[in-house]
Amino acid sequence: MHIHNASRIFPVTSNPKCWCYKYQMDLRQCGREKKPSFSSHFFISRFSLLLLNLEEYYFEQHTANHIIKRDCKDERKTRGSLKICSKSIIFEPDEKLQPIIKIPLRDCISIEATEDDEANNPFTWYVNLRGLGTYIFVFNKLNTCISITLSLNRASHLDKLGDQAAMITAILQSRLARTSFDKNRFQNISETLHMECEAEMVTPLVTNPGHVCITDANLYFQPLNGYPKPVVHITMHNVRRIYKRRHGLMPLGLEVFCTENDLCSDIYLKFYNSQDRDELYFHIATYLENHITEQTAESYMLQWQRGHISNYQYLLHLNNLADRSCNDLSQYPVFPWIIADYSSLELDLTRPETFRDLSKPVGALNKERLEGLLVCGQNMENKLIKSHYKSEAFCLFKMKSIRQLTLVIVFLQKLIPEFYENDSSFLVNSLKLDLGKRQGGKMVDNVELPPWASDPDDFLQKCQNALESQYVSEHLHEWIDLVFGYKQKGREAIAANNVFHPLTYEGGVDLNSILDPNEKVALLTQILEFGQTPKQLFTTPHPQRIIPKFKSLSRTSSHNVSIAESPVSPNEESFEDLTEESITLAWNNIAKLKLYEQYKIHKDTAVQSCSVFVITSLIFALDSTLKMFSKESKMLQRSVSFSNMALSSCLILPGDTTVISSSWDNHIYFYSIAFGRLQDTLLGHDDAISKICWHDNRLYSASWDSTVKVWHCVPAEVLSTKRHHFELLAELEHDVSVNTINLNAANAMLVSGTKEGTISIWDISTATVLHQLACHSGTVYDAAFSPDSRHLLSSGEDGCFKVIDVQTGMLISSMVSEQPQRCFKWDGHTVLSGSQSGELLVWDLLAGKVIERIKGHTGAVTCMWMNEQCSSIITGGEDRQIMFWKLQY
């Protein structure tokens, strides 16, 4: 079959190229009063919304006959449907062998409508084209479409694009206002309507206006034109993710996903005002709150750092959160160009030279190219790297099948996700389309592959392997800093030569402030052509991924470490490996914690702290006195009073002979277990002491006097004297009272939490603060490093858990609980916390939710102790009881 185009005959496969050329020409004329016509009309193989121009709408269709050579002996009638669009009329014949006719309204000299009673034909259209004669369409019955068609025709002949757009918008809004969602389309008659409004469904290059309706069970979209089907419906129960989107630089978009990891959404909606968008988002989000947990960039970061999601999955989530969508070609998802070696016969992913420097933009990798780009932008206010994320002038259509058009976007700066997926068809010109010639005269055909790729499928597989390689995992955070992070704009972006056109940034222009419609249309078209910079997700350096150095025992990960990569052979497991295995096993089963004993050893006040003398199974617990409880005899053996004020914290020194207790009376007390007497007293602070820690003869004390003090302490046993020797080594100043402190596993860092919610991370060797964050609204109850010291978890009076990346000081995750969690233990993945209600809660930190609730105390859980194997737990509470818990596998 051939396509007739005015005076020439083209093979069917050349038509997509013509459309691509026409589309590029239209975009290059943005802001001008009139576009050149590539051709007056097109005959193509089937109707699709992709036949519409940019920002063109399809309104309605009517049954009609196309009359050829009317009043002649060889007069012919072709039955079909006439489709009224905002910038064209399209006739689609019923007979599939007949081509579709598209007539641009701007090429119409006039459209005349007459009635012909003698021929029993109630309505005839004469569409007169400039230099191409007249098209005749006869309708079987009287219709009212002539009115809207004449209005649209007048709009197409207005001199300025802004005036054209304004008139078309007025016509569209009038049509939408006269219609409403058909409630007969509800899936169930018992559904409750929440809201209805006008919107447009967005797909690549096309927006389709209609009505949105949401009920308690379903989300509906009914296109104004009934195409491609009368109603699109999504069951609320299937929704997994929703994102607010910028569309055309305005906060008007909403995208809905029914899957966790798919690249493409189930529906993308553009609203006419942000209030409707936000209201629909509220209804969906309210439903999701009761079914799934909302994920943030920080929560995905934590999952990626811990190896629970792959590099590909993490980049996919960041793109979604940064307004990148497959439905919006000006904001198509961006992935890093990572491979630098395109000449070797084998691709060696163990060599750093195989990969490009991910800390630099592509435009800055070559010094000469960078200098040239900077010269090009020297006359601008800021330096400009002109290769950008996405430009629709680089769109290339290819016919994949008669029923499907696949869009391939070519980038100079970044890659599209398809390079790291499984469908390689976009690399092959399977239909032998005429794609033009290269500068050397060679025809453009299939994508030329490097020597190390045997075929397109092998090429994509090796790209996937490269993306998940150790080198990329170790350096991906540098690329994220450029594209989604703190080097995206501002001084850091300028220093990194990572600056783009100012209009491409979020907030770079306020379209609402532009009153001239022509200027607004020209500017919007320019931005849609040039592409948009992703939304900035991070304002501080992105943490590096944690690369496992030993084999994973039972944690599920997207990156399993093989036996060959493990430093421990299969038959030679060290004691440390066995200990690690037992700890991992314990935390994997922490939800199976069972209460097996409980004792009420306190009479008047809550248990403040507890510590265990492992050798003789002695438990030390505090209220206003120090109590020593024997687990073997199940009896309270001693109750020692040091002061008329309550004790706050206790610990047992190495050697198991001395217990240290801190008090609200500003003192620290040293109690000899063997001799049963007070051994020494240290007046440590000017106000109540809230928490103490000990390591390597150093005592760390936190106080309401806004300091944390570091003491060198030599026990009396070492000096063979009756008293300890104390020397103040450092004083860590805070602005307000310090409520809690903790050391990391290597005892190189200390975390402090204040009564006003501030978390500080200190370098102990230099007594300097590394990071300081306002994390909680209210007192910080507890704070602790993860076993690998990569992350820090804190709980506060506000009922929130906060996760901080220790290296960068970035707050990367937040969880909200129903009640404050007074104390906790965690392994970096799972949290066991003591609640204000008395329950023990088990949290999946990566999923951000409670996975188990264990009944415990009748008042708040105030303290928690865990043994080294993480298999035994002791808790104390406001109900004055201590409880003993064990895991039951």
Side-chain angles (χ1 to χ4, degrees):
M1 184 176 70
H2 290 76
I3 295 175
H4 180 261
N5 185 358
S7 60
R8 298 181 60 190
I9 300 294
F10 292 96
V12 67
T13 53
S14 68
N15 186 65
K17 178 186 174 184
C18 297
W19 271 100
C20 180
Y21 175 74
K22 176 180 182 295
Y23 183 56
Q24 293 176 9
M25 289 293 295
D26 287 349
L27 288 174
R28 284 196 290 268
Q29 300 298 321
C30 63
R32 301 181 185 177
E33 293 185 355
K34 187 175 181 181
K35 306 175 190 175
S37 176
F38 176 73
S39 65
S40 296
H41 58 289
F42 298 91
F43 294 88
I44 51 183
S45 59
R46 65 179 297 271
F47 175 74
S48 166
L49 292 180
L50 288 173
L51 303 184
L52 306 184
N53 291 350
L54 183 67
E55 299 296 316
E56 182 176 10
Y57 299 108
Y58 165 37
F59 282 97
E60 57 189 55
Q61 67 174 2
H62 299 274
T63 301
N65 291 305
H66 175 216
I67 308 299
I68 302 175
K69 297 183 179 180
R70 191 175 194 183
D71 299 329
C72 297
K73 292 183 179 180
D74 55 349
E75 176 181 312
R76 285 182 293 143
K77 290 184 179 181
T78 302
R79 180 182 171 85
S81 62
L82 192 68
K83 304 176 191 302
I84 311 301
C85 305
S86 59
K87 298 179 182 179
S88 62
I89 54 178
I90 299 175
F91 180 74
E92 181 181 17
D94 291 344
E95 187 178 343
K96 300 302 181 183
L97 294 179
Q98 295 293 324
I100 292 173
I101 303 172
K102 179 178 181 181
I103 305 175
L105 290 174
R106 67 172 179 267
D107 292 340
C108 297
I109 300 175
S110 64
I111 300 177
E112 302 172 1
T114 62
E115 296 184 19
D116 188 353
D117 295 330
E118 294 182 3
N120 200 26
N121 250 334
F123 214 70
T124 303
W125 277 19
Y126 297 89
V127 181
N128 302 306
L129 298 181
R130 185 182 298 108
L132 290 171
T134 301
Y135 281 86
I136 303 174
F137 299 100
V138 177
F139 297 88
N140 295 330
K141 60 180 180 179
L142 186 66
N143 60 67
T144 58
C145 64
I146 186 62
S147 176
I148 185 176
T149 306
L150 292 176
S151 297
L152 293 169
N153 187 40
R154 286 195 296 273
S156 295
H157 285 82
L158 294 175
D159 291 336
K160 296 182 178 181
L161 293 177
D163 296 336
Q164 293 180 20
M167 187 171 180
I168 291 172
T169 299
I171 296 171
L172 173 62
Q173 292 300 320
S174 175
R175 296 297 296 268
L176 289 171
R178 297 198 304 269
T179 58
S180 62
F181 184 85
D182 182 4
K183 307 302 188 297
N184 293 320
R185 295 288 183 178
F186 282 178
Q187 295 291 303
N188 193 305
I189 59 174
S190 63
E191 290 184 53
T192 301
L193 175 65
H194 288 324
M195 73 166 290
E196 177 185 348
C197 66
E198 294 86 24
E200 298 175 9
M201 187 170 71
V202 179
T203 54
L205 298 179
V206 175
T207 57
N208 202 8
H211 294 274
V212 171
C213 183
I214 187 170
T215 70
D216 57 341
N218 294 285
L219 172 65
Y220 299 94
F221 177 77
Q222 186 173 30
L224 185 66
N225 50 35
Y227 183 90
K229 55 184 179 180
V231 171
V232 177
H233 119 267
I234 294 175
T235 303
M236 294 291 290
H237 180 72
N238 293 332
V239 175
R240 290 294 175 268
R241 294 177 288 144
I242 53 173
Y243 298 99
K244 291 182 179 180
R245 297 287 190 222
R246 285 179 299 160
H247 186 84
L249 301 180
M250 301 285 284
L252 301 175
L254 182 69
E255 195 160 21
V256 180
F257 292 78
C258 291
T259 58
E260 289 293 345
N261 296 310
D262 277 5
L263 181 65
C264 297
S265 64
D266 290 82
I267 191 169
Y268 186 130
L269 297 170
K270 170 199 170 186
F271 296 80
Y272 297 111
N273 59 75
S274 58
Q275 291 79 13
D276 286 343
R277 191 276 302 269
D278 293 343
E279 184 178 353
L280 186 70
Y281 180 90
F282 169 79
H283 286 296
I284 300 177
T286 301
Y287 180 90
L288 295 183
E289 282 179 0
N290 301 321
H291 296 82
I292 64 174
T293 303
E294 182 181 4
Q295 298 283 358
T296 63
E298 290 76 18
S299 62
Y300 285 127
M301 179 201 294
L302 186 61
Q303 295 179 51
W304 172 75
Q305 269 197 292
R306 293 284 173 180
H308 286 246
I309 59 175
S310 66
N311 292 340
Y312 173 86
Q313 290 171 321
Y314 185 44
L315 292 172
L316 196 65
H317 291 308
L318 292 185
N319 271 281
N320 275 322
L321 292 168
D323 278 347
R324 315 304 290 185
S325 170
C326 292
N327 289 305
D328 186 350
L329 298 185
S330 69
Q331 300 188 94
Y332 206 80
V334 291
F335 272 57
W337 196 310
I338 58 177
I339 297 176
D341 180 4
Y342 291 93
S343 58
S344 299
L345 296 177
E346 297 291 336
L347 187 66
D348 187 352
L349 299 181
T350 64
R351 296 176 64 250
E353 295 78 13
T354 299
F355 304 91
R356 80 165 180 91
D357 186 350
L358 292 175
S359 67
K360 297 179 180 179
V362 171
L365 291 176
N366 181 280
K367 184 178 179 180
E368 290 75 18
R369 181 172 184 243
L370 173 61
E371 291 175 351
L373 290 170
L374 293 177
V375 169
C376 290
Q378 66 183 357
N379 294 327
M380 300 188 61
E381 181 179 354
N382 292 322
K383 289 179 286 185
L384 172 66
I385 303 301
K386 287 191 173 180
S387 59
H388 198 56
Y389 293 97
K390 157 69 189 57
S391 173
E392 286 178 318
F394 296 108
C395 291
L396 175 65
F397 289 98
K398 76 179 180 104
M399 185 72 75
K400 189 175 181 180
S401 67
I402 291 180
R403 294 185 174 270
Q404 182 179 7
L405 283 172
T406 298
L407 185 65
V408 179
I409 300 102
V410 182
F411 302 96
L412 293 179
Q413 168 72 338
K414 303 292 183 287
L415 291 185
I416 55 175
E418 284 79 359
F419 278 86
Y420 302 107
E421 294 181 345
N422 298 317
D423 184 2
S424 62
S425 61
F426 73 99
L427 299 171
V428 181
N429 184 15
S430 58
L431 293 179
K432 301 302 178 184
L433 304 181
D434 182 2
L435 302 177
K437 295 182 179 180
R438 301 171 64 175
Q439 290 180 343
K442 185 178 180 181
M443 294 296 297
V444 176
D445 196 25
N446 299 335
V447 173
E448 292 186 11
L449 301 176
W452 44 258
S454 59
D455 55 47
D457 289 338
D458 183 52
F459 174 74
L460 292 192
Q461 182 61 57
K462 286 186 168 69
C463 287
Q464 293 174 29
N465 295 341
L467 182 63
E468 305 301 333
S469 67
Q470 180 168 333
Y471 178 90
V472 174
S473 294
E474 291 175 345
H475 294 275
L476 186 59
H477 65 286
E478 298 171 340
W479 183 85
I480 294 173
D481 284 336
L482 294 169
V483 179
F484 302 107
Y486 81 110
K487 291 184 179 180
Q488 187 200 81
K489 52 188 175 182
R491 293 180 179 178
E492 294 289 348
I494 295 174
N497 296 303
N498 191 43
V499 181
F500 299 94
H501 196 288
L503 295 180
T504 66
Y505 292 92
E506 183 178 27
V509 62
D510 181 9
L511 288 180
N512 289 327
S513 67
I514 301 176
L515 301 180
D516 185 346
N518 299 296
E519 181 184 352
K520 181 181 291 187
V521 169
L523 182 62
L524 179 58
T525 305
Q526 180 182 357
I527 294 302
L528 292 177
E529 177 183 358
F530 197 69
Q532 298 177 57
T533 302
K535 178 189 295 183
Q536 188 176 28
L537 300 178
F538 310 108
T539 56
T540 58
H542 192 286
Q544 189 176 12
R545 190 171 197 181
I546 301 171
I547 307 300
K549 301 300 182 183
F550 47 82
K551 60 184 178 180
S552 175
L553 298 169
S554 58
R555 289 279 178 190
T556 302
S557 172
S558 59
H559 292 77
N560 294 321
V561 182
S562 66
I563 292 178
E565 295 172 315
S566 172
V568 181
S569 65
N571 299 320
E572 297 180 2
E573 289 190 314
S574 66
F575 174 77
E576 289 77 11
D577 293 321
L578 294 175
T579 302
E580 180 68 24
E581 183 175 3
S582 66
I583 292 174
T584 302
L585 181 63
W587 276 104
N588 284 345
N589 292 275
I590 201 71
K592 299 178 182 178
L593 204 62
K594 299 296 181 183
L595 175 66
Y596 72 99
E597 286 181 316
Q598 64 186 85
Y599 302 96
K600 188 173 184 179
I601 61 175
H602 297 262
K603 293 182 179 180
D604 302 318
T605 58
V607 180
Q608 298 294 335
S609 179
C610 58
S611 189
V612 176
F613 188 6
V614 179
I615 297 177
T616 58
S617 298
L618 292 176
I619 292 94
F620 291 88
L622 303 179
D623 50 17
S624 59
T625 62
L626 174 67
K627 290 182 167 57
M628 187 171 74
F629 179 83
S630 172
K631 189 173 177 298
E632 292 183 351
S633 64
K634 300 179 182 179
M635 293 179 60
L636 180 64
Q637 294 190 345
R638 298 178 193 174
S639 181
V640 183
S641 177
F642 301 128
S643 168
N644 59 358
M645 299 185 72
L647 303 177
S648 59
S649 177
C650 73
L651 55 85
I652 302 173
L653 292 185
D656 299 329
T657 61
T658 303
V659 176
I660 307 179
S661 301
S662 59
S663 173
W664 301 127
D665 68 359
N666 313 350
H667 288 78
I668 300 172
Y669 298 96
F670 292 75
Y671 178 77
S672 172
I673 300 173
F675 297 99
R677 61 177 174 83
L678 182 63
Q679 196 172 29
D680 214 335
T681 303
L682 171 64
L683 178 58
H685 290 269
D686 298 327
D687 205 338
I689 299 174
S690 53
K691 182 77 179 288
I692 55 175
C693 297
W694 178 278
H695 175 71
D696 194 22
N697 289 335
R698 289 191 177 185
L699 174 67
Y700 303 84
S701 59
S703 171
W704 291 0
D705 67 4
S706 306
T707 66
V708 173
K709 293 184 178 180
V710 183
W711 309 84
H712 179 63
C713 180
V714 181
E717 297 84 14
V718 177
L719 298 173
S720 299
T721 62
K722 293 182 178 181
R723 300 182 64 86
H724 295 66
H725 173 73
F726 304 104
E727 178 187 355
L728 181 62
L729 299 179
E731 191 167 332
L732 312 181
E733 296 285 350
H734 296 70
D735 294 331
V736 294
S737 300
V738 183
N739 192 63
T740 187
I741 56 172
N742 234 318
L743 298 170
N744 73 331
N747 300 289
M749 291 182 289
L750 177 142
V751 59
S752 59
T754 71
K755 282 195 169 184
E756 292 188 356
T758 301
I759 291 290
S760 301
I761 303 175
W762 300 83
D763 182 337
I764 295 176
S765 63
T766 60
T768 56
V769 65
L770 300 175
H771 306 291
Q772 195 168 72
L773 297 88
C775 286
H776 298 274
S777 56
T779 302
V780 178
Y781 282 144
D782 201 359
F785 293 92
S786 59
D788 59 8
S789 298
R790 298 273 189 161
H791 296 110
L792 175 73
L793 180 67
S794 64
S795 64
E797 187 180 10
D798 55 4
C800 293
F801 276 117
K802 299 295 178 76
V803 181
I804 300 169
D805 180 78
V806 173
Q807 178 190 10
T808 63
M810 179 187 292
L811 180 63
I812 62 174
S813 184
S814 180
M815 297 186 301
V816 180
S817 58
E818 299 169 357
Q819 296 177 330
Q821 307 298 304
R822 298 278 292 272
C823 53
F824 65 84
K825 300 292 180 182
W826 75 309
D827 71 336
H829 305 274
T830 308
V831 181
L832 175 67
S833 66
S835 174
Q836 186 76 23
S837 66
E839 293 179 302
L840 298 187
L841 304 182
V842 180
W843 300 75
D844 183 339
L845 191 60
L846 300 178
K849 63 181 180 180
V850 176
I851 57 177
E852 190 67 37
R853 295 178 178 270
I854 306 170
K855 290 185 178 181
H857 296 266
T858 56
V861 182
T862 55
C863 58
M864 181 181 297
W865 174 90
M866 177 181 280
N867 68 344
E868 290 185 3
Q869 291 74 32
C870 306
S871 57
S872 296
I873 291 95
I874 300 175
T875 59
E878 287 185 347
D879 58 2
R880 306 188 295 279
Q881 296 201 67
I882 57 172
M883 294 185 173
F884 298 84
W885 308 80
K886 275 195 175 182
L887 292 177
Q888 294 186 355
Y889 301 111

